[in-house]
Coordinates of all heavy atoms in Angstrom, one line a residue:
M1 N 2.2 12.8 -15.1 CA 1.8 11.5 -15.5 C 0.9 10.9 -14.4 O 1.2 10.8 -13.2 CB 3.0 10.6 -15.6 CG 2.7 9.1 -15.8 SD 4.1 8.1 -15.7 CE 4.8 8.2 -17.3
N2 N -0.3 10.5 -14.7 CA -1.3 9.9 -13.8 C -1.6 8.4 -14.2 O -1.8 8.1 -15.4 CB -2.6 10.6 -13.8 CG -2.5 11.8 -12.8 OD1 -1.7 11.8 -11.9 ND2 -3.5 12.7 -12.9
A3 N -1.6 7.6 -13.2 CA -1.9 6.2 -13.4 C -3.5 6.1 -13.4 O -4.1 6.8 -12.6 CB -1.3 5.3 -12.4
S4 N -4.0 5.1 -14.2 CA -5.4 4.9 -14.2 C -5.8 3.5 -13.8 O -6.9 3.1 -13.6 CB -6.1 5.3 -15.5 OG -5.5 4.5 -16.6
T5 N -4.7 2.6 -13.8 CA -5.0 1.2 -13.3 C -4.0 0.9 -12.2 O -3.0 1.6 -12.0 CB -4.7 0.2 -14.5 OG1 -3.3 0.3 -14.8 CG2 -5.6 0.6 -15.7
L6 N -4.3 -0.2 -11.6 CA -3.4 -0.7 -10.5 C -2.0 -1.0 -11.0 O -1.0 -0.5 -10.4 CB -4.0 -1.9 -9.8 CG -3.3 -2.4 -8.6 CD1 -3.4 -1.4 -7.4 CD2 -3.9 -3.7 -8.1
D7 N -1.9 -1.6 -12.2 CA -0.6 -1.9 -12.7 C 0.2 -0.6 -13.1 O 1.4 -0.6 -12.9 CB -0.7 -2.8 -14.0 CG -1.1 -4.2 -13.6 OD1 -0.9 -4.7 -12.5 OD2 -1.6 -4.9 -14.5
E8 N -0.5 0.3 -13.6 CA 0.2 1.6 -13.9 C 0.6 2.3 -12.7 O 1.7 2.9 -12.7 CB -0.8 2.5 -14.7 CG -1.1 2.1 -16.1 CD -2.1 3.0 -16.8 OE1 -2.5 4.0 -16.2 OE2 -2.5 2.7 -18.0
A9 N -0.2 2.2 -11.6 CA 0.2 2.9 -10.4 C 1.5 2.2 -9.8 O 2.4 2.8 -9.2 CB -0.9 2.8 -9.4
V10 N 1.5 0.8 -9.8 CA 2.7 0.1 -9.3 C 3.9 0.6 -10.1 O 5.0 0.8 -9.6 CB 2.5 -1.4 -9.4 CG1 3.8 -2.1 -9.2 CG2 1.4 -1.9 -8.5
A11 N 3.8 0.7 -11.4 CA 4.9 1.1 -12.3 C 5.3 2.5 -11.9 O 6.5 2.8 -11.9 CB 4.5 1.0 -13.8
L12 N 4.3 3.4 -11.6 CA 4.6 4.7 -11.3 C 5.5 4.8 -10.0 O 6.4 5.6 -9.9 CB 3.3 5.5 -11.1 CG 3.4 7.0 -11.0 CD1 4.2 7.7 -12.2 CD2 2.0 7.6 -11.0
T13 N 5.2 3.9 -9.0 CA 6.0 4.0 -7.7 C 7.4 3.7 -8.0 O 8.3 4.1 -7.3 CB 5.4 3.0 -6.7 OG1 5.6 1.6 -7.2 CG2 4.0 3.2 -6.3
K14 N 7.7 2.9 -9.0 CA 9.1 2.5 -9.4 C 9.9 3.7 -9.9 O 11.1 3.7 -10.0 CB 9.1 1.4 -10.3 CG 8.6 0.1 -9.7 CD 8.6 -1.1 -10.7 CE 8.0 -2.3 -10.2 NZ 7.6 -2.6 -8.8
K15 N 9.1 4.8 -10.3 CA 9.8 6.0 -10.9 C 10.0 7.1 -9.8 O 10.6 8.1 -10.1 CB 8.9 6.6 -12.0 CG 8.8 5.7 -13.2 CD 7.9 6.3 -14.2 CE 7.8 5.3 -15.4 NZ 6.9 5.8 -16.5
F16 N 9.6 6.8 -8.6 CA 9.8 7.7 -7.5 C 11.4 7.9 -7.4 O 12.1 7.0 -7.3 CB 9.3 7.3 -6.2 CG 7.8 7.3 -6.0 CD1 7.0 7.7 -7.1 CD2 7.1 7.0 -4.9 CE1 5.6 7.7 -7.0 CE2 5.8 7.1 -4.7 CZ 5.0 7.4 -5.8
T17 N 11.8 9.2 -7.3 CA 13.2 9.5 -7.2 C 13.7 9.6 -5.7 O 14.9 9.7 -5.5 CB 13.6 10.7 -8.0 OG1 12.8 11.8 -7.5 CG2 13.3 10.5 -9.5
S18 N 12.7 9.8 -4.8 CA 13.1 9.8 -3.4 C 12.0 8.9 -2.7 O 11.0 8.6 -3.2 CB 13.1 11.2 -2.8 OG 11.9 11.8 -3.0
K19 N 12.4 8.5 -1.5 CA 11.6 7.5 -0.7 C 10.5 8.2 0.0 O 10.8 9.2 0.8 CB 12.5 6.8 0.2 CG 11.8 5.7 1.0 CD 12.8 4.9 1.8 CE 12.1 3.9 2.7 NZ 13.0 3.2 3.6
P20 N 9.2 7.8 -0.1 CA 8.2 8.3 0.7 C 8.4 8.1 2.2 O 9.2 7.2 2.6 CB 6.9 7.6 0.2 CG 7.3 7.1 -1.2 CD 8.8 6.8 -1.1
S21 N 7.7 8.8 3.0 CA 7.8 8.6 4.5 C 7.3 7.1 4.9 O 6.6 6.5 4.1 CB 6.9 9.6 5.2 OG 5.6 9.3 5.1
N22 N 7.7 6.7 6.0 CA 7.3 5.4 6.5 C 5.8 5.3 6.5 O 5.2 4.2 6.2 CB 7.9 5.0 7.9 CG 9.4 4.8 7.8 OD1 9.9 4.4 6.7 ND2 10.1 4.9 8.9
E23 N 5.1 6.3 7.0 CA 3.6 6.3 7.0 C 3.0 6.2 5.6 O 2.1 5.4 5.4 CB 3.2 7.6 7.7 CG 1.7 7.7 7.9 CD 1.2 9.0 8.6 OE1 1.9 9.3 9.6 OE2 0.3 9.6 8.1
E24 N 3.6 6.9 4.7 CA 3.1 6.8 3.3 C 3.4 5.4 2.7 O 2.6 4.8 2.0 CB 3.8 7.8 2.4 CG 3.4 9.3 2.7 CD 4.2 10.3 2.2 OE1 5.5 10.1 1.9 OE2 3.7 11.4 1.9
L25 N 4.6 4.8 3.0 CA 4.9 3.5 2.5 C 4.0 2.5 3.1 O 3.6 1.5 2.4 CB 6.4 3.1 2.9 CG 7.4 3.9 2.1 CD1 8.8 3.6 2.7 CD2 7.4 3.5 0.6
L26 N 3.6 2.6 4.4 CA 2.7 1.6 5.0 C 1.3 1.7 4.3 O 0.6 0.7 4.1 CB 2.5 1.9 6.5 CG 3.6 1.3 7.4 CD1 3.4 1.7 8.8 CD2 3.5 -0.2 7.3
K27 N 0.9 2.9 4.0 CA -0.4 3.1 3.3 C -0.4 2.5 1.9 O -1.3 1.8 1.5 CB -0.8 4.6 3.3 CG -2.2 4.9 2.9 CD -3.1 4.6 3.9 CE -4.5 5.0 3.6 NZ -5.5 4.3 4.4
I28 N 0.7 2.8 1.2 CA 0.9 2.2 -0.1 C 0.8 0.6 0.0 O 0.1 0.0 -0.8 CB 2.2 2.6 -0.8 CG1 2.2 4.1 -1.2 CG2 2.5 1.8 -2.0 CD1 3.5 4.7 -1.6
Y29 N 1.6 0.1 0.9 CA 1.6 -1.4 1.1 C 0.3 -1.9 1.4 O -0.2 -2.9 0.8 CB 2.6 -1.7 2.2 CG 2.6 -3.2 2.6 CD1 3.3 -4.1 1.9 CD2 1.9 -3.6 3.7 CE1 3.2 -5.5 2.2 CE2 1.8 -4.9 4.1 CZ 2.5 -5.8 3.3 OH 2.4 -7.2 3.7
S30 N -0.4 -1.4 2.4 CA -1.6 -1.9 2.9 C -2.7 -1.9 1.8 O -3.5 -2.8 1.6 CB -2.1 -1.3 4.2 OG -2.3 0.1 4.0
L31 N -2.8 -0.7 1.1 CA -3.8 -0.6 0.0 C -3.5 -1.6 -1.1 O -4.4 -2.2 -1.6 CB -3.9 0.8 -0.5 CG -4.6 1.8 0.4 CD1 -4.3 3.2 -0.1 CD2 -6.1 1.5 0.5
Y32 N -2.3 -1.8 -1.4 CA -1.9 -2.8 -2.5 C -2.3 -4.2 -2.1 O -2.9 -4.9 -2.8 CB -0.4 -2.7 -2.8 CG 0.0 -3.7 -3.8 CD1 -0.2 -3.4 -5.2 CD2 0.5 -4.9 -3.5 CE1 0.1 -4.4 -6.2 CE2 0.9 -5.9 -4.5 CZ 0.6 -5.6 -5.8 OH 1.0 -6.5 -6.7
K33 N -2.0 -4.6 -0.8 CA -2.3 -5.9 -0.4 C -3.8 -6.1 -0.3 O -4.3 -7.2 -0.7 CB -1.7 -6.1 1.0 CG -0.2 -6.2 1.1 CD 0.3 -7.4 0.3 CE 0.4 -8.6 1.2 NZ 1.1 -9.8 0.6
Q34 N -4.6 -5.1 0.1 CA -6.0 -5.2 0.2 C -6.6 -5.3 -1.2 O -7.5 -6.1 -1.5 CB -6.6 -4.0 0.9 CG -8.1 -4.2 1.3 CD -8.4 -5.2 2.3 OE1 -7.5 -5.6 3.1 NE2 -9.6 -5.7 2.4
A35 N -6.0 -4.5 -2.2 CA -6.5 -4.5 -3.5 C -6.2 -5.8 -4.3 O -7.0 -6.3 -5.1 CB -5.9 -3.4 -4.3
T36 N -5.1 -6.5 -3.9 CA -4.7 -7.7 -4.7 C -5.1 -9.0 -4.0 O -5.3 -10.0 -4.6 CB -3.2 -7.7 -4.9 OG1 -2.5 -7.6 -3.7 CG2 -2.8 -6.5 -5.9
E37 N -5.2 -8.9 -2.6 CA -5.5 -10.2 -1.9 C -6.7 -10.1 -1.0 O -7.2 -11.2 -0.6 CB -4.3 -10.5 -1.0 CG -3.0 -10.8 -1.8 CD -1.8 -11.2 -0.9 OE1 -2.1 -11.8 0.2 OE2 -0.7 -10.9 -1.2
G38 N -7.3 -9.0 -0.8 CA -8.4 -8.8 0.1 C -8.0 -8.8 1.5 O -6.9 -8.4 1.9
D39 N -8.9 -9.2 2.4 CA -8.7 -9.1 3.9 C -7.4 -9.9 4.3 O -7.1 -10.9 3.7 CB -9.9 -9.6 4.7 CG -11.0 -8.6 4.6 OD1 -10.8 -7.5 4.2 OD2 -12.2 -9.1 4.9
N40 N -6.7 -9.4 5.3 CA -5.5 -10.0 5.8 C -5.9 -11.2 6.7 O -6.5 -11.1 7.7 CB -4.8 -9.0 6.7 CG -3.5 -9.5 7.3 OD1 -3.2 -10.7 7.2 ND2 -2.7 -8.6 7.8
N41 N -5.6 -12.4 6.2 CA -5.8 -13.6 6.9 C -4.5 -14.3 7.3 O -4.5 -15.5 7.6 CB -6.7 -14.6 6.1 CG -8.1 -14.0 5.9 OD1 -8.7 -13.5 6.8 ND2 -8.5 -14.0 4.7
E42 N -3.4 -13.6 7.3 CA -2.1 -14.1 7.6 C -1.9 -14.1 9.1 O -2.6 -13.4 9.9 CB -1.0 -13.3 7.0 CG -1.1 -13.4 5.4 CD 0.1 -12.7 4.8 OE1 0.9 -12.1 5.5 OE2 0.1 -12.7 3.5
E43 N -1.0 -14.9 9.6 CA -0.6 -15.0 11.0 C 0.1 -13.7 11.4 O 0.9 -13.2 10.6 CB 0.3 -16.2 11.3 CG -0.5 -17.5 11.5 CD 0.4 -18.6 12.0 OE1 1.2 -18.3 12.9 OE2 0.2 -19.7 11.6
R44 N -0.2 -13.2 12.6 CA 0.5 -12.1 13.1 C 2.0 -12.4 13.3 O 2.3 -13.4 13.9 CB -0.1 -11.6 14.5 CG 0.5 -10.4 15.1 CD -0.1 -10.0 16.4 NE -1.5 -9.5 16.2 CZ -1.8 -8.3 15.8 NH1 -0.8 -7.5 15.5 NH2 -3.0 -7.9 15.7
P45 N 2.9 -11.5 12.8 CA 4.3 -11.8 13.0 C 4.6 -11.7 14.5 O 4.1 -10.9 15.2 CB 5.0 -10.7 12.2 CG 3.9 -9.7 11.9 CD 2.6 -10.3 12.0
G46 N 5.6 -12.5 14.9 CA 5.9 -12.5 16.3 C 7.3 -11.9 16.5 O 7.9 -11.4 15.6
G47 N 7.8 -11.9 17.8 CA 9.1 -11.5 18.1 C 9.2 -10.0 18.0 O 8.3 -9.2 18.3
F48 N 10.4 -9.6 17.5 CA 10.8 -8.2 17.5 C 10.8 -7.7 16.1 O 11.6 -6.7 15.8 CB 12.1 -7.9 18.2 CG 11.9 -8.2 19.7 CD1 12.3 -9.4 20.3 CD2 11.4 -7.2 20.5 CE1 12.2 -9.6 21.6 CE2 11.3 -7.4 21.9 CZ 11.7 -8.6 22.4
D49 N 10.1 -8.2 15.2 CA 10.1 -7.8 13.8 C 9.0 -6.7 13.7 O 7.9 -6.9 13.3 CB 9.8 -8.9 12.8 CG 10.0 -8.6 11.4 OD1 10.1 -7.4 11.1 OD2 10.0 -9.5 10.5
F50 N 9.5 -5.5 14.0 CA 8.5 -4.3 14.1 C 8.0 -3.9 12.8 O 6.9 -3.4 12.6 CB 9.2 -3.2 14.9 CG 9.6 -3.5 16.3 CD1 10.9 -3.6 16.7 CD2 8.6 -3.9 17.2 CE1 11.2 -3.9 18.0 CE2 8.9 -4.2 18.5 CZ 10.3 -4.2 18.9
V51 N 8.9 -4.0 11.7 CA 8.5 -3.6 10.4 C 7.3 -4.6 9.9 O 6.3 -4.1 9.4 CB 9.6 -3.7 9.4 CG1 9.2 -3.5 8.0 CG2 10.7 -2.6 9.8
A52 N 7.5 -5.9 10.1 CA 6.5 -6.8 9.7 C 5.2 -6.6 10.5 O 4.1 -6.7 9.9 CB 7.0 -8.3 9.9
A53 N 5.3 -6.3 11.8 CA 4.2 -6.0 12.6 C 3.4 -4.8 12.1 O 2.2 -4.8 12.1 CB 4.6 -5.9 14.1
A54 N 4.2 -3.7 11.8 CA 3.5 -2.5 11.3 C 2.8 -2.8 10.0 O 1.7 -2.3 9.8 CB 4.6 -1.4 11.1
K55 N 3.4 -3.5 9.1 CA 2.8 -3.8 7.8 C 1.5 -4.7 8.0 O 0.5 -4.4 7.4 CB 3.8 -4.6 6.9 CG 4.9 -3.7 6.4 CD 6.0 -4.5 5.8 CE 5.9 -4.6 4.3 NZ 7.1 -5.3 3.7
Y56 N 1.6 -5.7 8.9 CA 0.5 -6.5 9.2 C -0.7 -5.7 9.7 O -1.8 -5.8 9.3 CB 0.9 -7.6 10.3 CG -0.2 -8.4 10.8 CD1 -0.5 -9.6 10.1 CD2 -1.0 -8.1 11.9 CE1 -1.6 -10.4 10.6 CE2 -2.0 -8.9 12.3 CZ -2.3 -10.0 11.7 OH -3.3 -10.8 12.1
N57 N -0.4 -4.8 10.7 CA -1.4 -4.0 11.3 C -2.0 -3.0 10.3 O -3.3 -2.8 10.4 CB -0.9 -3.2 12.5 CG -0.6 -4.2 13.7 OD1 -1.2 -5.2 13.8 ND2 0.4 -3.8 14.5
A58 N -1.2 -2.4 9.5 CA -1.7 -1.5 8.5 C -2.7 -2.2 7.5 O -3.8 -1.6 7.2 CB -0.6 -0.8 7.7
W59 N -2.3 -3.4 7.1 CA -3.2 -4.1 6.2 C -4.5 -4.6 6.9 O -5.6 -4.5 6.4 CB -2.4 -5.3 5.6 CG -3.2 -6.2 4.7 CD1 -4.3 -5.9 4.0 CD2 -2.8 -7.5 4.2 NE1 -4.7 -7.0 3.2 CE2 -3.7 -8.0 3.3 CE3 -1.7 -8.3 4.5 CZ2 -3.7 -9.2 2.7 CZ3 -1.6 -9.6 3.9 CH2 -2.6 -10.0 3.0
L60 N -4.3 -5.1 8.2 CA -5.4 -5.5 9.0 C -6.5 -4.4 9.2 O -7.7 -4.7 9.2 CB -5.0 -6.1 10.3 CG -6.0 -6.8 11.2 CD1 -6.5 -8.1 10.5 CD2 -5.4 -7.1 12.6
A61 N -6.0 -3.2 9.3 CA -6.9 -2.0 9.5 C -7.8 -1.8 8.3 O -8.9 -1.1 8.5 CB -6.1 -0.8 9.7
L62 N -7.5 -2.4 7.2 CA -8.4 -2.2 6.0 C -9.4 -3.3 5.8 O -10.1 -3.4 4.8 CB -7.5 -2.1 4.7 CG -6.5 -1.0 4.7 CD1 -5.7 -1.0 3.4 CD2 -7.3 0.4 4.8
K63 N -9.5 -4.2 6.8 CA -10.4 -5.4 6.7 C -11.8 -4.9 6.4 O -12.4 -3.9 6.9 CB -10.4 -6.1 8.1 CG -11.3 -7.4 8.1 CD -11.1 -8.1 9.3 CE -11.8 -9.5 9.2 NZ -11.4 -10.4 10.1
G64 N -12.4 -5.6 5.4 CA -13.8 -5.3 5.0 C -13.8 -4.3 3.8 O -14.9 -4.2 3.2
K65 N -12.7 -3.7 3.5 CA -12.7 -2.8 2.3 C -12.6 -3.6 1.1 O -11.9 -4.6 1.0 CB -11.5 -1.8 2.4 CG -11.5 -0.8 1.2 CD -10.2 0.1 1.3 CE -10.3 1.0 2.5 NZ -11.3 2.1 2.3
S66 N -13.5 -3.3 0.1 CA -13.5 -4.1 -1.1 C -12.2 -4.0 -1.9 O -11.5 -2.9 -1.8 CB -14.6 -3.7 -2.0 OG -14.4 -2.5 -2.6
K67 N -11.8 -5.0 -2.7 CA -10.6 -4.9 -3.5 C -10.7 -3.7 -4.5 O -9.7 -3.0 -4.7 CB -10.4 -6.2 -4.3 CG -10.0 -7.4 -3.5 CD -9.8 -8.6 -4.4 CE -9.2 -9.8 -3.6 NZ -8.9 -10.9 -4.5
E68 N -11.9 -3.5 -5.0 CA -12.1 -2.3 -5.9 C -11.9 -1.0 -5.2 O -11.2 -0.1 -5.8 CB -13.5 -2.4 -6.5 CG -13.8 -3.6 -7.4 CD -14.1 -4.9 -6.6 OE1 -14.4 -4.8 -5.4 OE2 -13.9 -5.9 -7.2
D69 N -12.4 -0.8 -4.0 CA -12.2 0.4 -3.3 C -10.7 0.6 -2.9 O -10.2 1.7 -3.1 CB -13.0 0.5 -2.0 CG -14.5 0.7 -2.3 OD1 -14.9 1.1 -3.5 OD2 -15.3 0.6 -1.4
A70 N -10.1 -0.5 -2.5 CA -8.7 -0.4 -2.2 C -7.8 0.0 -3.4 O -6.9 0.8 -3.3 CB -8.2 -1.7 -1.5
S71 N -8.2 -0.6 -4.5 CA -7.5 -0.3 -5.8 C -7.6 1.1 -6.1 O -6.6 1.8 -6.5 CB -8.0 -1.2 -6.9 OG -7.3 -1.0 -8.1
E72 N -8.8 1.7 -6.1 CA -9.0 3.1 -6.4 C -8.3 4.0 -5.5 O -7.7 5.0 -5.9 CB -10.5 3.4 -6.3 CG -11.3 2.8 -7.5 CD -12.8 3.0 -7.4 OE1 -13.2 3.9 -6.6 OE2 -13.6 2.3 -8.0
E73 N -8.3 3.7 -4.2 CA -7.5 4.5 -3.2 C -6.0 4.4 -3.4 O -5.3 5.4 -3.3 CB -7.9 4.0 -1.8 CG -9.2 4.5 -1.3 CD -9.4 4.2 0.2 OE1 -8.5 4.4 1.0 OE2 -10.5 3.7 0.5
Y74 N -5.5 3.2 -3.8 CA -4.1 3.0 -4.1 C -3.7 3.9 -5.3 O -2.7 4.6 -5.2 CB -3.9 1.5 -4.4 CG -2.4 1.2 -4.7 CD1 -1.5 1.0 -3.8 CD2 -2.0 1.2 -6.1 CE1 -0.2 0.7 -4.1 CE2 -0.7 1.0 -6.4 CZ 0.2 0.7 -5.4 OH 1.5 0.4 -5.8
I75 N -4.5 3.8 -6.3 CA -4.2 4.6 -7.5 C -4.2 6.1 -7.2 O -3.3 6.8 -7.6 CB -5.2 4.3 -8.7 CG1 -5.0 2.8 -9.1 CG2 -5.0 5.3 -9.8 CD1 -6.1 2.3 -10.0
S76 N -5.2 6.6 -6.5 CA -5.3 8.0 -6.1 C -4.1 8.4 -5.2 O -3.5 9.5 -5.4 CB -6.6 8.2 -5.3 OG -6.7 9.5 -4.9
L77 N -3.7 7.6 -4.3 CA -2.6 7.9 -3.4 C -1.3 8.0 -4.2 O -0.5 8.9 -4.0 CB -2.5 6.8 -2.3 CG -1.3 7.0 -1.3 CD1 -1.3 8.3 -0.6 CD2 -1.2 5.8 -0.4
V78 N -1.1 7.0 -5.0 CA 0.2 7.0 -5.8 C 0.2 8.2 -6.7 O 1.3 8.8 -6.9 CB 0.3 5.7 -6.6 CG1 1.4 5.8 -7.6 CG2 0.6 4.5 -5.7
N79 N -0.9 8.5 -7.4 CA -0.9 9.7 -8.2 C -0.6 11.0 -7.4 O 0.1 11.8 -7.9 CB -2.3 9.8 -8.9 CG -2.5 8.9 -10.1 OD1 -1.5 8.5 -10.7 ND2 -3.7 8.6 -10.4
S80 N -1.1 11.1 -6.2 CA -0.9 12.3 -5.4 C 0.6 12.3 -4.9 O 1.2 13.3 -4.9 CB -1.8 12.4 -4.3 OG -1.6 11.4 -3.3
L81 N 1.1 11.1 -4.5 CA 2.5 11.1 -4.1 C 3.5 11.3 -5.2 O 4.6 11.8 -5.0 CB 2.8 9.7 -3.4 CG 2.1 9.4 -2.1 CD1 2.4 8.0 -1.6 CD2 2.5 10.5 -1.0
S82 N 3.1 11.0 -6.4 CA 4.0 11.1 -7.6 C 4.4 12.6 -7.8 O 5.4 12.9 -8.3 CB 3.4 10.5 -8.9 OG 2.3 11.3 -9.3
T83 N 3.5 13.5 -7.4 CA 3.8 14.9 -7.6 C 4.9 15.4 -6.6 O 5.6 16.3 -6.8 CB 2.6 15.8 -7.3 OG1 2.1 15.7 -6.0 CG2 1.4 15.5 -8.3
K84 N 5.1 14.6 -5.5 CA 6.1 14.9 -4.5 C 7.4 14.2 -4.8 O 8.5 14.7 -4.4 CB 5.6 14.4 -3.1 CG 5.4 15.5 -2.1 CD 4.6 15.2 -0.9 CE 5.0 14.1 0.0 NZ 4.2 14.1 1.3
Y85 N 7.3 12.9 -5.3 CA 8.5 12.1 -5.3 C 9.0 11.8 -6.7 O 10.0 11.0 -6.8 CB 8.2 10.8 -4.6 CG 7.9 11.0 -3.1 CD1 6.6 10.8 -2.6 CD2 8.8 11.4 -2.3 CE1 6.3 11.0 -1.3 CE2 8.6 11.7 -0.9 CZ 7.3 11.5 -0.4 OH 7.1 11.7 0.9
I86 N 8.5 12.3 -7.8 CA 9.0 12.2 -9.1 C 9.6 13.5 -9.6 O 9.1 14.5 -9.4 CB 8.0 11.6 -10.1 CG1 7.6 10.2 -9.7 CG2 8.5 11.7 -11.5 CD1 6.6 9.6 -10.7

């Protein structure tokens, strides 16, 4: 089963039967945020919230990538991961 739209790809991630690696999860998260919201303009998380900081940095690294390109990469990534996790 391959997704062809962002919504289909999001639905496909919900069918994963095992959890992707943290690196894969960060890539999924950052591409989704870039595809749906564009560049990261949020405040950097403070303190010792390392998960929030990792997510922030992963999204920030995609600055300048168009929503369309991020969406295409997200769909492609989810499709490739689905062969491993479904």
Side-chain angles (χ1 to χ4, degrees):
M1 169 193 277
N2 273 345
S4 58
T5 67
L6 188 64
D7 288 340
E8 287 176 5
V10 169
L12 191 55
T13 64
K14 294 176 183 355
K15 295 179 181 179
F16 286 6
T17 56
S18 58
K19 185 178 175 183
S21 71
N22 288 339
E23 184 178 314
E24 290 165 334
L25 288 171
L26 277 174
K27 191 72 174 163
I28 290 169
Y29 170 83
S30 62
L31 284 169
Y32 178 80
K33 292 294 273 186
Q34 191 71 18
T36 58
E37 297 183 32
D39 288 345
N40 182 349
N41 293 315
E42 295 182 2
E43 277 190 40
R44 179 179 292 280
F48 292 95
D49 191 345
F50 299 114
V51 172
K55 290 166 93 175
Y56 175 91
N57 289 333
W59 182 15
L60 189 64
L62 299 179
K63 185 174 186 161
K65 182 181 291 290
S66 73
K67 288 183 176 184
E68 294 77 19
D69 286 348
S71 181
E72 288 175 19
E73 282 186 46
Y74 177 89
I75 293 165
S76 177
L77 176 63
V78 169
N79 283 334
S80 69
L81 291 177
S82 71
T83 63
K84 240 165 63 169
Y85 297 112
I86 293 184

